[in-house]
C-alpha cells in the first residue's frame, strides 16, 4: 500500500521531483515512518526555492515561514546540491540535522523542489507539521 501511494504521488511531478519524493519517502518508510503527503503550497515554495538556488548557483535557506499555510505547528527545510537527486538524498541522510528533518515523526506534509544548473542539481525539501 505504501509503495502504491508513493508511486501515485510521484506521478504528479516531473521525473526529478518525483524521484526526490520517492527517495525521501523510501528513507522514511525504511525507519517505520509513514510517507509524507504533498501539500501544494509547500510544493510551490520548494520548487520556486530550488529554481532560485540553481539560478543563483549558491546554497542558502529560505525565509521558512514565507509561502507556507497559516496553520502549522512545526516547519523544517533541507537544501542541498550535488551531481544527482539520489546523491543529494544520501548526503541528507548522512547529515544529522538534515536526517532529523527527514525522520521527524511530527512532520506530515512536504514539498519537494528540484532544479538543475550546469550539471548540478539543487533540491529543497520543506516539511510541515500541520494543524
Amino acid at each position: 500500500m505504501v509503495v502504491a501511494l508513493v508511486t501515485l504521488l510521484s506521478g504528479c511531478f516531473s521525473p526529478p521531483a518525483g524521484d526526490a519524493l520517492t527517495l525521501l519517502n523510501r528513507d522514511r518508510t525504511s525507519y517505520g515512518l509513514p510517507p509524507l503527503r504533498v501539500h501544494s503550497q509547500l510544493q510551490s515554495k520548494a520548487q520556486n526555492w530550488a529554481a532560485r538556488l540553481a539560478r543563483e548557483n549558491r546554497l542558502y535557506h529560505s525565509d521558512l515561514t514565507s509561502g507556507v499555510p497559516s496553520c502549522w505547528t512545526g516547519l523544517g527545510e533541507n537544501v542541498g546540491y550535488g551531481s544527482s537527486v539520489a546523491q543529494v538524498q544520501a548526503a541528507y541522510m548522512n547529515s544529522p540535522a538534515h536526517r532529523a528533518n527527514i525522520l521527524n515523526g511530527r512532520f506530515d506534509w512536504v514539498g519537494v523542489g528540484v532544479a538543475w544548473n550546469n550539471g548540478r542539481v539543487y533540491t529543497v525539501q520543506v516539511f510541515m507539521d500541520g494543524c
Side-chain angles (χ1 to χ4, degrees):
M1 181 70 168
V2 171
V3 173
L5 178 62
V6 171
T7 302
L8 286 172
L9 288 175
S10 65
C12 299
F13 300 97
S14 64
D19 292 346
L21 177 64
T22 298
L23 293 170
L24 166 65
N25 277 327
R26 183 198 64 200
D27 285 337
R28 284 181 57 87
T29 59
S30 72
Y31 282 85
L33 295 168
L36 294 169
R37 295 174 288 169
V38 176
H39 191 289
S40 62
Q41 284 179 263
L42 300 179
Q43 184 60 33
S44 178
K45 175 184 176 68
Q47 186 56 51
N48 289 337
W49 196 251
R52 181 174 178 169
L53 295 176
R55 185 175 58 252
E56 295 178 5
N57 200 31
R58 66 187 191 120
L59 195 64
Y60 60 106
H61 285 278
S62 71
D63 174 358
L64 192 51
T65 60
S66 176
V68 299
S70 59
C71 187
W72 55 268
T73 57
L75 296 170
E77 181 182 64
N78 289 343
V79 298
Y81 66 83
S83 59
S84 70
V85 171
Q87 188 268 329
V88 178
Q89 183 64 27
Y92 287 153
M93 290 303 288
N94 286 322
S95 161
H98 294 98
R99 181 184 174 117
N101 277 338
I102 293 166
L103 300 181
N104 185 332
R106 290 186 53 213
F107 291 142
D108 47 3
W109 296 98
V110 71
V112 178
V114 175
W116 290 85
N117 182 4
N118 293 325
R120 178 183 283 176
V121 64
Y122 291 81
T123 73
V124 175
Q125 300 170 333
V126 181
F127 304 92
M128 182 177 76
D129 177 13
C131 307

